[in-house]
Amino acid sequence: MIAVVGLAFRLPGADHPGQFWHNIRHGVNSVRRFSSAELDAAGVKRTPGLVAVSGTLDGVADFDAGFFGMSPAEAARTDPQHRLFLETCYQALADGGYASSPGTRIGVVAGASYHLYPLHNYLLNNVLPAGGPDDTVSTLQSAIGNHPDFVATRVAYRLGLTGPAFSVLSGCSTSAMAVHLASQSLLTGESDLMLAGAASVHIPQVTGYTYVKGSILSKTGVCRPFDAAADGTVGGNGVAAVLLKRLDRALADGDRIHAVIRGVGVVNDGADKRAYAAPSAAGQTRALLRGLEVAGVDAGDIGYLETHGTGTLKGDPIEFDAAVAAYREHTGRVAYCALGSTKANIGHLDSCSGMASLIKAILVLQRAEIPPLANFTRPNPALALDGSPFRIPLAAEPWAGTGPRLAGLTSLGVGGTNVHLVLEQAPVLARPRRSRAAGVLPVSAHTPAALTELTSALAARLGVTDDVADLVWSVAVGQGQHRYRVAATGSTAAELAASLADATAVEAGEPPRIGLVVPAGTTAETCAQWTKLGIEPAAVAGEFMALGMAGALPMAAAGQLAALRTSLDAERTDTDGMLVPLGDRPSLPAFRAAFDAAPWQPARIPVLWGTGLRAAGWTPSWADWPAPPAPGGGLAAAGYETFTVRPLTGPELERTAAELWSRGAAVDWAAVLAGTGGTRTDIPPYPFQRRRHWLAPEHKETPMQVQVLDRIRELTGRHLGCPVSEVGPDTAFTSLGADSLVMVNMVRDLEREFAVKVSMRELFEEADSPRGLATLIETRMAGLPEAGAGEPSAALAARVVVPAQRVPGSADRTALRSEAPSVPAVPVPVVAVPAVPEPQVAAPQAATPPVFVPKTSALPVSAPLASGGPVTRAEIEALAEEIRQVTGRQLSLMAEMSGLVARFAAGEGR
């Protein structure tokens, strides 16, 4: 069996387990619906039927290149999927306590791809359009930075992993397949630890898809697995990795175990289905049965099944029937197993979907709670739910039963590679024996800024932690050992926090040249204690035990010679106190025989032997013994930082380790903290110092865009009374002092020049800058559909909000309120009123009716109704509501204008 000993992820709406569980438990839908302004800014072409939704991640353009030894140029040419996965793998290693594990065979199996939005990738949309050298070497660099073949080996290289590293691709079941292959590597003994995971990030993230009837993508943009209203899935972005270890070894090493993978079943549908991309109930059933068989588990004991659950009206019943068929071969129980699908919360993460499901299932087992199925109202009528083994939870509920909690997980791939995992809750581990308190907290980071962030986070955690030993152990053993370091001291949380605040960070630099002086009488146990610190001496001084530490002979043989040497020393004088020559001492023959029989080897490091420093490679001989006294100064005179090997107690051991570590030594903190009783626990994640590393094609505006944008900037400057040079393309109108009364005249001029309609709501909410307004105008001039045009009119009507505006010079009262007054749905009257005087006008302007006196055919508040086809009552009511809102707003503006005109006529104008 396999233990999950570490995990890390970045998923829509969550990047740590607590946040993800909150969203899952409360049925939160983290899929976003993009606004028109977002689509325009992303350059998304709005086509009929566009469904602009996706589960997004924050900061995909940002990356801590320096932490991983990458140049800014390499980072910019590398797919964000690869970069995010690299960060996530480091966090998973740190979560498991293995971020710094020299000598441990750690491998990685990974996938990185996106098929739901197949043309939305960084190479196609960013790297290639950005141009650059087109020579063979540059092309190869772009390929290595973007193709999925290299995602695993990049992690191995950048993190120094020496186990097997390879990529896997099986469509939507990729990450579950990675777990299976990683488990096989552990079970066959070719690795000690394995990372398994995947990354799926489509670029651009702000995007959508054109709905096609019969496709797997949702028309409404909502994933509703097993629901009667299910109409397809939606895309999402995510990156996740787990750290795996054989269960027996994890238990022996005292690892924190998140969950246990009891078994995995992998099959392919073969040709027994209607089409290559079609699902097969028989193939899915075989995957479940195989997983149960490998796990040695009866389906009647499974309390939760995390399904593939894409939310298609026909696909869900197929998966449901397949699961029923598999479970019915084991049990006749009814409604005992809860169904779930994380796609309802975060969308379909493509090759990373199985990993998101795995993390959710682990949390379910850890929390002993069944979460609700998000977006679920009533079951798909094609599901034979009554009398089946399954039920669909509508709210969070406690786990029922008293035995070990078991869960199943199904991940299905296009092409028929189906994977089923059987999971079990983590075993309860006995705490290590505690013989002393932890007295040192070593903290390190790649940069001073990261170290400051990390120490602040740890100080905050110390204020609320229940167990200082666990926190100290997890930070010291799991964080890795970086260049900038600080070691806090103290035996309580308060003392450690105060020490963190006062401690001075040091730059470790290169490890120091440490020289160890090994006095006569030093035991092998004492030498081993220093060796366990992780200290690699650059030179030693002393006799036989020093030669053992230098590698000139095994420590056991060195101890034997040292013991015989002690016997010789005891024979220095006779019973009368007279000095006995060395050749006359009784123990000398036995000592000489042991010396000659010792398995001498060339010393690995220099040895200060008598009067001279013998170079590495020196092999001792009888002619070299006994050594004359060493000269004054010893190793220190030769330029080594000298420490004397001596028995160390707990506090002294920690102080010595902290001193050496602060100087750059690679200390074995697990050995130093032995006896403190600490185990691995959650710690603040490493604070990557991310910067933007992003390639993008140079934005070249069309001649029409340039013309419209320049004219908008001119009109903005004229109407707001500011130089055109101050009106930047992306400057918000409101930051220039714009309000509705002034902008009425500007909109009027734009409508007259470009023959399009622009509402005030659009001006202040969606197209609130010259560039945004120019994009909107050009779109309408070209007759392109706008965002949301394919949505029901009622949904558009619900989004119509009239922004609150304030009258210039009347800061204490609101001219227009967000709630338009209720007025009857009557035709809008055409009323001619004098134009509002414009500031700084070079020439008189003819009075023109304001923009809110529309012609009978132009109210730009919703998409035009499609010609032909039946008209629904909902569409009529929605349009009527839009007319009422616009009418109310127009009347409010007209009232304000009438008042201003009256004041102007009364002589209050200027």
Side-chain angles (χ1 to χ4, degrees):
M1 290 188 283
I2 301 298
V4 180
V5 297
L7 57 83
F9 57 85
R10 290 179 65 179
L11 300 174
D15 58 6
H16 62 82
Q19 190 175 22
F20 189 42
W21 177 249
H22 174 274
N23 294 346
I24 293 294
R25 188 183 185 279
H26 293 87
V28 175
N29 183 351
S30 298
V31 174
R32 292 189 53 213
R33 190 176 297 272
F34 305 116
S35 67
S36 298
E38 288 177 302
L39 295 172
D40 289 340
V44 176
K45 187 176 182 180
R46 289 175 276 172
T47 57
L50 177 68
V51 184
V53 297
S54 184
T56 62
L57 305 178
D58 295 331
V60 298
D62 303 329
F63 178 61
D64 191 344
F67 182 88
F68 297 101
M70 294 173 66
S71 69
E74 181 184 1
R77 298 193 77 83
T78 301
D79 192 328
Q81 295 184 116
H82 294 219
R83 303 184 327 203
L84 295 177
F85 188 67
L86 184 56
E87 290 184 351
T88 302
C89 284
Y90 176 83
Q91 299 287 32
L93 288 168
D95 183 65
Y98 292 98
S100 178
S101 302
T104 304
R105 296 173 302 163
I106 304 177
V108 55
V109 185
S113 63
Y114 212 98
H115 304 103
L116 285 174
Y117 303 158
L119 300 181
H120 293 59
N121 62 75
Y122 189 67
L123 178 64
L124 181 64
N125 294 317
N126 293 65
V127 176
L128 297 180
D134 58 358
D135 57 274
T136 303
V137 174
S138 299
T139 302
L140 180 61
Q141 290 174 342
S142 296
I144 291 175
N146 289 267
H147 286 184
D149 310 52
F150 309 106
V151 63
T153 49
R154 173 173 285 102
V155 170
Y157 173 66
R158 293 297 176 186
L159 299 183
L161 310 182
T162 58
F166 57 93
S167 298
V168 59
L169 292 173
S170 62
C172 309
S173 61
T174 290
S175 56
M177 193 67 191
V179 171
H180 171 64
L181 295 174
S183 300
Q184 293 299 310
S185 175
L186 292 167
L187 294 173
T188 59
E190 68 180 2
S191 59
D192 301 316
L193 289 157
M194 286 294 293
L195 286 162
S200 288
V201 181
H202 58 70
I203 302 297
Q205 284 200 104
V206 178
T207 185
Y209 54 86
T210 301
Y211 171 72
V212 177
K213 186 176 181 179
S215 74
I216 66 169
L217 295 173
S218 167
K219 181 179 182 180
T220 60
V222 179
C223 183
R224 300 180 177 89
F226 306 109
D227 193 86
D231 65 350
T233 195
V234 299
N237 298 273
V239 184
V242 292
L243 182 63
L244 306 178
K245 192 175 187 179
R246 278 180 48 174
L247 178 61
D248 56 345
R249 294 184 180 177
L251 292 172
D253 294 341
D255 291 312
R256 179 179 61 159
I257 300 174
H258 292 284
V260 175
I261 301 173
R262 290 190 60 97
V264 184
V266 179
V267 305
N268 191 274
D269 294 336
D272 185 21
K273 54 185 179 180
R274 298 169 60 184
Y276 172 77
S280 166
Q284 295 176 26
T285 297
R286 286 189 291 108
L288 268 70
L289 290 173
R290 177 59 179 163
L292 292 167
E293 178 187 1
V294 174
V297 167
D298 189 286
D301 296 326
I302 303 290
Y304 176 75
L305 178 59
E306 174 68 14
T307 66
H308 192 64
T310 55
T312 58
L313 193 62
K314 296 182 179 180
D316 285 351
I318 292 175
E319 183 177 4
F320 180 85
D321 291 344
V324 170
Y327 275 46
R328 280 294 175 247
E329 292 198 18
H330 285 245
T331 180
R333 296 182 63 189
V334 175
Y336 70 93
C337 181
L339 295 181
S341 172
T342 193
K343 294 177 181 63
N345 301 93
I346 61 176
H348 193 337
L349 305 194
D350 211 285
S351 62
C352 190
S353 60
M355 191 58 55
S357 295
L358 174 59
I359 292 172
K360 177 188 173 183
I362 289 173
L363 294 176
V364 170
L365 293 175
Q366 287 179 338
R367 309 295 176 119
E369 194 171 15
I370 304 293
L373 179 59
N375 306 327
F376 182 81
T377 304
R378 56 191 178 90
N380 186 326
L383 302 181
L385 197 60
D386 293 340
S388 77
F390 304 111
R391 70 181 191 279
I392 300 177
L394 299 177
E397 58 187 54
W399 187 286
T402 57
R405 294 186 290 276
L406 295 168
L409 184 160
T410 298
S411 185
L412 310 174
V414 172
T417 296
N418 307 320
V419 184
H420 185 74
L421 284 74
V422 178
L423 310 174
E424 184 177 333
Q425 70 179 93
V428 178
L429 304 179
R431 289 193 63 88
R433 185 177 62 86
R434 179 172 299 177
S435 59
R436 63 185 181 88
V440 61
L441 174 60
V443 187
S444 68
H446 183 69
T447 64
L451 184 60
T452 299
E453 285 189 43
L454 190 55
T455 54
S456 297
L458 287 169
R461 181 66 62 85
L462 284 166
V464 297
T465 187
D466 294 328
D467 198 311
V468 174
D470 288 350
L471 181 67
V472 169
W473 177 275
S474 301
V475 172
V477 175
Q479 70 168 345
Q481 303 191 34
H482 305 290
R483 183 170 186 175
Y484 293 90
R485 304 179 176 186
V486 62
T489 57
S491 58
T492 66
E495 290 175 358
L496 287 172
S499 180
L500 274 179
D502 297 336
T504 301
V506 297
E507 183 178 2
E510 294 297 323
R513 298 173 70 238
I514 295 175
L516 293 182
V517 177
V518 188
T522 301
T523 65
E525 290 75 15
T526 299
C527 290
Q529 186 183 40
W530 282 75
T531 302
K532 287 180 180 179
L533 287 176
I535 296 170
E536 293 290 340
V540 293
E543 205 173 51
F544 295 110
M545 297 309 295
L547 290 172
M549 297 190 76
L553 77 165
M555 292 300 293
Q560 181 183 11
L561 287 174
L564 292 172
R565 178 73 164 86
T566 302
S567 299
L568 281 175
D569 288 341
E571 298 169 354
R572 286 172 59 90
T573 59
D574 58 19
T575 56
D576 298 326
M578 300 298 292
L579 185 66
V580 178
L582 181 63
D584 297 336
R585 298 176 191 176
S587 299
L588 183 63
F591 177 75
R592 172 67 186 269
F595 190 103
D596 290 339
W600 295 103
Q601 297 289 331
R604 295 192 307 268
I605 56 177
V607 179
L608 183 60
W609 182 267
T611 58
L613 186 67
R614 307 300 180 96
W618 168 64
T619 303
S621 66
W622 181 253
D624 298 314
W625 191 87
L635 292 175
Y640 295 95
E641 294 190 39
T642 305
F643 293 83
T644 300
V645 175
R646 63 192 186 281
L648 298 172
T649 62
E652 188 179 14
L653 174 65
E654 291 175 347
R655 285 195 299 271
T656 303
E659 180 182 356
L660 291 169
W661 181 74
S662 296
R663 298 187 188 182
V667 171
D668 182 356
W669 285 107
V672 174
L673 296 172
T676 62
T679 60
R680 293 184 175 92
T681 188
D682 290 325
I683 59 175
Y686 182 86
F688 290 117
Q689 302 300 292
R690 299 181 176 99
R691 295 178 55 193
R692 184 177 177 85
H693 297 283
W694 198 251
L695 291 180
E698 182 182 355
H699 180 69
K700 296 181 179 180
E701 296 172 323
T702 66
M704 176 58 72
Q705 286 177 319
V706 173
Q707 177 185 347
V708 175
L709 179 59
D710 289 347
R711 183 56 177 155
I712 290 173
R713 294 179 63 204
E714 291 174 7
L715 289 173
T716 302
R718 181 159 64 87
H719 285 283
L720 297 181
C722 60
V724 175
S725 60
E726 295 181 5
V727 184
D730 299 304
T731 303
F733 293 126
T734 53
S735 68
L736 298 172
D739 58 60
S740 59
L741 293 178
V742 173
M743 299 303 281
V744 161
N745 292 300
M746 177 174 154
V747 170
R748 178 200 62 196
D749 290 344
L750 290 172
E751 290 187 332
R752 185 172 55 212
E753 290 191 27
F754 298 109
V756 297
K757 287 292 182 181
V758 179
S759 71
M760 277 295 186
R761 178 185 64 81
E762 292 169 323
L763 188 66
F764 283 102
E765 293 183 12
E766 299 180 7
D768 60 348
S769 68
R771 193 189 305 279
L773 183 55
T775 301
L776 178 64
I777 289 175
E778 188 190 26
T779 299
R780 290 190 173 158
M781 290 175 65
L784 296 176
E786 300 170 33
E791 300 177 6
S793 297
L796 280 174
R799 293 206 307 265
V800 175
V801 178
V802 181
Q805 305 291 341
R806 305 190 73 83
V807 177
S810 304
D812 58 337
R813 65 188 182 93
T814 301
L816 297 177
R817 302 192 179 276
S818 58
E819 300 86 2
S822 178
V823 295
V826 295
V828 180
V830 180
V831 181
V833 295
V836 176
E838 300 171 356
Q840 299 186 11
V841 178
Q845 299 292 316
T848 307
V851 67
F852 289 106
V853 184
K855 298 177 182 178
T856 57
S857 62
L859 271 179
V861 294
S862 67
L865 295 176
S867 59
V871 178
T872 66
R873 178 180 296 275
E875 289 175 328
I876 295 173
E877 291 176 351
L879 188 57
E881 176 60 24
E882 292 173 354
I883 293 173
R884 281 194 293 271
Q885 292 188 21
V886 173
T887 301
R889 189 169 172 198
Q890 177 191 355
L891 293 175
S892 296
L893 284 172
M894 290 171 60
E896 289 287 340
M897 187 175 296
S898 298
L900 291 175
V901 171
R903 290 172 56 192
F904 184 88
E908 296 181 20
R910 58 181 180 179

